[in-house]
Amino acid sequence: MMFRYEIKKVFSKKSSKIAILLLLIVVIITCWFATDVFFVNENGEKKTGYAAVRQLRKAQKEWAGVLDEEKLRQVIEENNRINATPEANSKKLTDQEIAYGWTQGIYELRNLLNCSYGEDFCSYDYYRADDLSTEDAGAFYENRIMLLKNWLSDDGKYLFSDAEKKYLIKQYESLETPFGYDYMKGWTQVLEYAPTIIMVGMLILGFLVAGIFSSEFSWKSDAIFFSTVYGRNKAVAAKIKAGLSIVTVIYWAAILLYSTIVLVYLGIDGAACPIQADFSGWKCFYNIQIWQVYLLTVVGGYVGCLFISLLTMFISAKTKSAVLAVMLPFVLIFLPSFLGNIESPVINKILGLLPDRLLQVSTALTYFDLYKLGNKVMGAIPILFVLYGILAIFLLPILYHEYRCKQIN
Amino acid sequence: MELKIIEVSKNFESITALDKVSYTLKKGVYGLLGVNGAGKTTLMRILCTLLKPSSGSVTWNGHDIFAMDGKYRNLLGYLPQDFGYYPDFTVYDYLMYIASIKGLPPFVAKQRTDTLLAQVGLAKDKNKKMKKLSGGMKRRAGIAQAMLNKPQILILDEPTAGLDPNERIRFRNLISELSEERIVLLSTHIVSDIEFVANEILLMQNGQIKMSGTGEEIVCSMPEKVWNCKIPKPLVDSYLKKYKVSNIKNLHEGAELRILSANQPTEDAILETPSLEDVFLYYFGEKAGADDVQI
Ligand SMILES: Nc1ncnc2c1ncn2[C@@H]1O[C@H](COP(=O)(O)OP(=O)(O)O)[C@@H](O)[C@H]1O
Ligand SMILES: [Mg+2]
């Protein structure tokens, strides 16, 4: 009963209903962006829509399979074949479009070649793949490790300790090769826009839960609330439960809606490919598969949202002000991106462990944030999960105690 | 049934809102009378465990009320001075919610809510939103929520403030209806609110209970007499300055003053029976509020 009415208090506000509507709109718009995939057909015409998705999938599926030396040789061969066609060398725009159309099947693989055979670790040359010959195919996986090593002994020298360098190289070397490749547009698109959904979701969740504790004061209903038998125990617990339920239900509803739309539309192929099979994850030192990246992203987002929401509720309880509470998620999400412009190893170490990273795990996975625990070097991601999971649990009794001991004057 | 206030003081930084208040409340209606700022609300908040006293303690049947925690609050019904509610809840939902945090099982809550809605005359407004109610209706909803758990201690902080005269009379009747078998503590700065309902009146001033007793006892305790005299217009001002005047009636050729004084102020002054209003003036040096302009 108490719980039901707590929820009702939140959603009886018009602003809460508007916030939910806003979230729905954001999800739909994001889905629209995430599913905006094009395909250039044999006439050089750019097509969008579901037909384009199916054609792209068909084209890339032809190259699915283990990415061994033979397959890589074929990719290079195909790329060179296309480059040698009159269309590719034509000055006419439509011809160039037609030639581009042919590369779509190997487009993602071509990007991987650009990465692997790049001049150095940090550069990316879009035309690098065009200079390759079939003999180069063998060095594909070794290059990845070699470029890292070169970088670590050169430009990256002072960025990492010896233990960290060793850890990175070990992680690179333990990537299982040759790995499988598949069409994975569904996953890469879902992951690309997931942080948007999660962050906007967090802001809206913060808005919804910010009032749960402070509204009693702004409504002046606090005096009656705290003078009832459950006002300093069960009714407080009901508030926390209501906050957690709102976060849980709305978060997962938004994520499921978004993921389902994008994945059904673009397909779930390639779930078992390693993150390195997509060029955005090529340098990633976590050796995990795409479906794991997805899972980490959405679960990380949930842990992050839980933590930030609980902190928001705590501020709302502590300061009796929803305005201050609502600002917290904004600060936690936007402040790090300002600080990120400062080039300082210490600040970067701190930034790597801020809760906003949990809202964008798919991006954070590609950052080289390393921490030493005891004599073990670790990436930031597992630390973030444990750290904020524990902090969220710790916040529960603190929040409860803070509110139950409130005095009214 | 004994609520004992023992040497309770409350300071807000430099302000002493309550100054060593001691009093014992037993079954009956108590009227807490005092001007704004006297400390009525502060005392009531302490009795509702909303505020901790700076020193002193309050016990219920010998147990400290703060230590009793939920057990004590279970006995409590409270209508605060600034009565806040959930604006978008219907009256029914509002009462059902308060019933839930008062620990009433849903079935009982429904029954109590319906009974009380009928009793306070809101039965047909039960599906109206709280924010759509008039001031008087809100106050009645407030009384209803205070009564949900059949409290043994009912604390009403200025329950008639802001009500029009009809609502006020209605409210007084409602309170005397509800006052059986419990302790009712009712605060006001309006004498007529409690003159007839309260078994005992506590006069509060500057955080202290200056005087207490039945209305009659309090009236008898006043050392000064009450006079009624007609004063010609030019002299009215000087009389107002010289004496405590509890009432002025403008007449054609002057004014009829009700004066508090030990000695007869004029030769033709007529001795009157003192009322509680006169006593209020005597002790507080200002006129008892007849309306709410001063809130
Ligand atoms: N929260 C507070 N902070 C500071 N002073 C307060 C607070 N609450 C009450 N006071 C002061 O305590 C005194 C008593 O106030 P109050 O109990 O509200 O009186 P009443 O209800 O009789 O009008 C007043 O002087 C008031 O200004
Ligand atoms: Mg008051």
Side-chain angles (χ1 to χ4, degrees), chain A residues 137-153:
Chain A
F140 181 73
Y141 293 109
E142 290 158 31
N143 277 349
R144 181 168 170 269
I145 300 166
M146 183 200 71
L147 284 179
L148 173 77
K149 283 181 176 165
N150 289 349
W151 180 64
L152 287 180
S153 59

Side-chain angles (χ1 to χ4, degrees), chain B residues 35-42 44 81 157-158 187:
Chain B
V35 295
N36 279 313
K40 306 182 294 292
T41 298
T42 306
M44 291 183 143
Q81 180 171 8
D157 198 351
E158 309 231 0
S187 82

Side-chain angles (χ1 to χ4, degrees), chain A residues 1-2 4-6 8-9 12-14 17 216 219-233 235 239 404-409, chain B residues 10 12 45 48-52 69-71 73-74 76 78 80 82-89 93-94 96-98 100-103 106 145:
Chain A
M1 281 290 275
M2 279 182 272
R4 201 168 66 86
Y5 280 116
E6 270 321 320
K8 194 165 180 161
K9 278 188 210 169
S12 68
K13 291 184 198 166
K14 198 181 236 159
K17 290 173 195 155
E216 294 299 337
W219 282 325
K220 292 191 171 161
S221 47
D222 52 342
I224 292 174
F225 181 87
F226 286 107
S227 66
T228 61
V229 59
Y230 290 154
R232 292 191 186 274
N233 42 57
K239 279 184 183 295
R404 103 177 215 97
C405 296
K406 273 273 175 267
Q407 296 214 9
I408 284 76
N409 51 31
Chain B
K10 179 74 194 178
F12 296 105
R45 283 186 177 154
C48 292
T49 68
L50 295 171
L51 268 181
K52 289 216 165 92
D69 202 26
K71 271 211 196 94
R73 292 196 303 272
N74 203 16
L76 210 56
Y78 177 41
D82 280 323
F83 165 55
Y85 46 86
Y86 310 104
D88 289 301
F89 273 27
D93 275 339
Y94 174 69
M96 286 299 282
Y97 172 64
I98 301 295
S100 74
I101 59 176
K102 287 194 169 195
Q145 72 67 31

Side-chain angles (χ1 to χ4, degrees), chain A residues 196-370:
Chain A
T196 310
I197 293 275
I198 294 173
M199 284 185 193
V200 172
M202 179 62 247
L203 295 178
I204 285 172
L205 287 173
F207 180 79
L208 290 177
V209 302
I212 293 181
F213 288 89
S214 58
S215 289
E216 294 299 337
F217 302 105
S218 53
W219 282 325
K220 292 191 171 161
S221 47
D222 52 342
I224 292 174
F225 181 87
F226 286 107
S227 66
T228 61
V229 59
Y230 290 154
R232 292 191 186 274
N233 42 57
K234 287 189 188 174
V236 181
K239 279 184 183 295
I240 298 176
K241 222 170 96 187
L244 295 181
S245 307
I246 288 171
V247 172
T248 305
V249 170
I250 292 176
Y251 176 84
W252 287 111
I255 290 295
L256 281 183
L257 181 64
Y258 164 72
S259 305
T260 309
I261 291 176
V262 177
L263 287 176
V264 164
Y265 191 78
L266 296 178
I268 55 165
D269 318 59
C273 293
I275 181 174
Q276 289 82 2
D278 180 67
F279 91 110
S280 65
W282 171 255
K283 290 186 215 164
C284 178
F285 65 83
Y286 298 95
N287 297 324
I288 48 178
Q289 298 174 347
I290 287 286
W291 68 272
Q292 291 170 314
V293 176
Y294 173 77
L295 212 60
L296 286 174
T297 302
V298 295
V299 173
Y302 179 59
V303 174
C305 283
L306 265 188
F307 170 75
I308 295 175
S309 302
L310 278 167
L311 203 56
T312 303
M313 288 193 264
F314 176 74
I315 289 176
S316 152
K318 180 99 193 162
T319 63
K320 305 184 179 179
S321 156
V323 179
L324 282 178
V326 148
M327 274 158 49
L328 176 90
F330 278 91
V331 171
L332 286 182
I333 289 175
F334 293 112
L335 195 65
S337 42
F338 283 115
L339 294 177
N341 298 329
I342 306 168
E343 293 268 335
S344 150
V346 182
I347 288 183
N348 281 333
K349 283 270 188 236
I350 297 168
L351 288 181
L353 290 181
L354 290 184
D356 69 301
R357 292 293 165 95
L358 272 177
L359 306 182
Q360 40 177 332
V361 169
S362 56
T363 321
L365 277 168
T366 61
Y367 298 156
F368 278 36
D369 293 320
L370 294 174

Side-chain angles (χ1 to χ4, degrees), chain B residues 7-175:
Chain B
E7 301 258 310
V8 166
S9 297
K10 179 74 194 178
N11 306 312
F12 296 105
E13 277 122 41
S14 61
I15 303 165
T16 304
L18 289 180
D19 187 9
K20 294 210 173 132
V21 173
S22 292
Y23 207 80
T24 303
L25 304 170
K26 298 197 169 132
K27 198 161 38 181
V29 180
Y30 295 81
L32 191 56
L33 196 56
V35 295
N36 279 313
K40 306 182 294 292
T41 298
T42 306
L43 178 63
M44 291 183 143
R45 283 186 177 154
I46 288 175
L47 294 180
C48 292
T49 68
L50 295 171
L51 268 181
K52 289 216 165 92
S54 308
S55 68
S57 62
V58 182
T59 60
W60 170 254
N61 294 340
H63 304 284
D64 184 89
I65 59 167
F66 287 92
M68 282 176 76
D69 202 26
K71 271 211 196 94
Y72 173 74
R73 292 196 303 272
N74 203 16
L75 309 169
L76 210 56
Y78 177 41
L79 176 63
Q81 180 171 8
D82 280 323
F83 165 55
Y85 46 86
Y86 310 104
D88 289 301
F89 273 27
T90 62
V91 178
Y92 183 76
D93 275 339
Y94 174 69
L95 290 176
M96 286 299 282
Y97 172 64
I98 301 295
S100 74
I101 59 176
K102 287 194 169 195
L104 271 63
F107 174 73
V108 181
K110 269 186 201 134
Q111 270 187 342
R112 279 299 284 164
T113 299
D114 285 332
T115 312
L116 282 165
L117 281 173
Q119 196 168 3
V120 301
L122 286 174
K124 60 181 192 321
D125 302 297
K126 67 188 240 181
N127 291 321
K128 266 197 190 148
K129 285 198 170 176
M130 287 296 286
K131 63 180 176 191
K132 295 271 163 70
L133 299 185
S134 72
M137 289 158 103
K138 275 174 196 162
R139 214 62 68 81
R140 282 185 264 148
I143 281 275
Q145 72 67 31
M147 290 299 298
L148 276 167
N149 55 330
K150 300 188 175 166
Q152 293 197 36
I153 307 162
L154 180 61
I155 294 180
L156 307 171
D157 198 351
E158 309 231 0
T160 57
L163 299 187
D164 63 40
N166 282 334
E167 284 272 15
R168 181 167 276 153
I169 292 165
R170 216 184 143 159
F171 217 87
R172 264 178 238 157
N173 296 339
L174 183 59
I175 289 163

